[in-house]
Amino acid sequence: MRLSINGITIFRSKDADPPHPIDKDYPLAARRSRTSNGSPVIGLLLAFAFVIAGVGMLLETIFFQVTSVKAIGEVVEVHESVTEKGEVLYSPTFKWRDQSGGTQTGSPSTKASWYDFRIGAEVHILYDPTDPEDVRVSDTESLWSAPVLVMMVGLIFAFLSWQVLHYRAQRQKADRKAKHEAQTRHLNRGQS
């Protein structure tokens, strides 16, 4: 069984082609064993998933920025945690006045190493007026790093998968040419 897309074989069962004739003139490249053809397909699926997730995160961040309200939050508390690798992450709690003049408190849903604020510091924040507990630090790194990073991982998977598919297509082309040349030599030997 063979599955090809645009002339590129992306899956082939072991018995899809008859075995190559044993011929000392037959190029070694054409006789090499085949490896699994599923890895670039899995890479493309991962790439698609990461890019879609990154675009979703990007759209959510844009929507949040458009609908959120700017405020200056006072840092009232900073929780510290340490990752398995020993990196220190901080989660600040802010207190601010909302649009109606009421006092709100909240913490970003993410922890970050750059959230190392001192107690009493004033920080520019964004909050959702319909859900004041959804508060984020209003800086480029806090808002955009996760969506951009996820999309970059997806694009890297896509690039590497494309490279593998391209390499395999070139290898298949070379194998077909070598097989044709070997068959031609074999026929010519039989005619003489």
Side-chain angles (χ1 to χ4, degrees), residues 8-158:
I8 299 173
T9 301
I10 58 173
F11 174 80
R12 177 189 358 216
S13 65
K14 291 182 181 180
D15 51 274
D17 291 331
H20 297 298
I22 306 288
D23 185 345
K24 65 182 173 105
D25 295 328
Y26 199 67
L28 181 62
R31 287 185 280 163
R32 72 175 150 253
S33 64
R34 301 286 179 185
T35 58
S36 169
N37 286 324
S39 58
V41 174
I42 292 170
L44 287 173
L45 291 174
L46 283 172
F48 182 72
F50 273 97
V51 169
I52 292 299
V55 167
M57 293 170 70
L58 186 68
L59 292 174
E60 191 276 332
T61 300
I62 291 169
F63 180 77
F64 180 80
Q65 244 189 341
V66 168
T67 60
S68 64
V69 176
K70 293 179 183 180
I72 295 181
E74 178 187 348
V75 178
V76 293
E77 194 175 14
V78 178
H79 296 281
E80 186 177 299
S81 61
V82 179
T83 66
E84 291 175 3
K85 294 181 179 180
E87 183 182 13
V88 179
L89 300 177
Y90 303 97
S91 177
T93 301
F94 301 107
K95 179 173 73 174
W96 72 93
R97 294 221 177 261
D98 62 19
Q99 289 176 312
S100 62
T103 301
Q104 300 288 340
T105 59
S107 296
S109 60
T110 57
K111 299 175 182 179
S113 59
W114 59 87
Y115 287 169
D116 185 18
F117 304 115
R118 62 177 173 69
I119 304 295
E122 292 186 341
V123 178
H124 292 275
I125 61 170
L126 297 170
Y127 71 93
D128 183 345
T130 60
D131 180 16
E133 290 183 12
D134 187 3
V135 60
R136 302 177 195 184
V137 176
S138 180
D139 68 349
T140 303
E141 196 169 11
S142 297
L143 294 171
W144 302 104
S145 60
V148 169
L149 182 65
V150 169
M151 285 192 326
M152 285 176 55
V153 168
L155 292 174
I156 289 169
F157 271 118

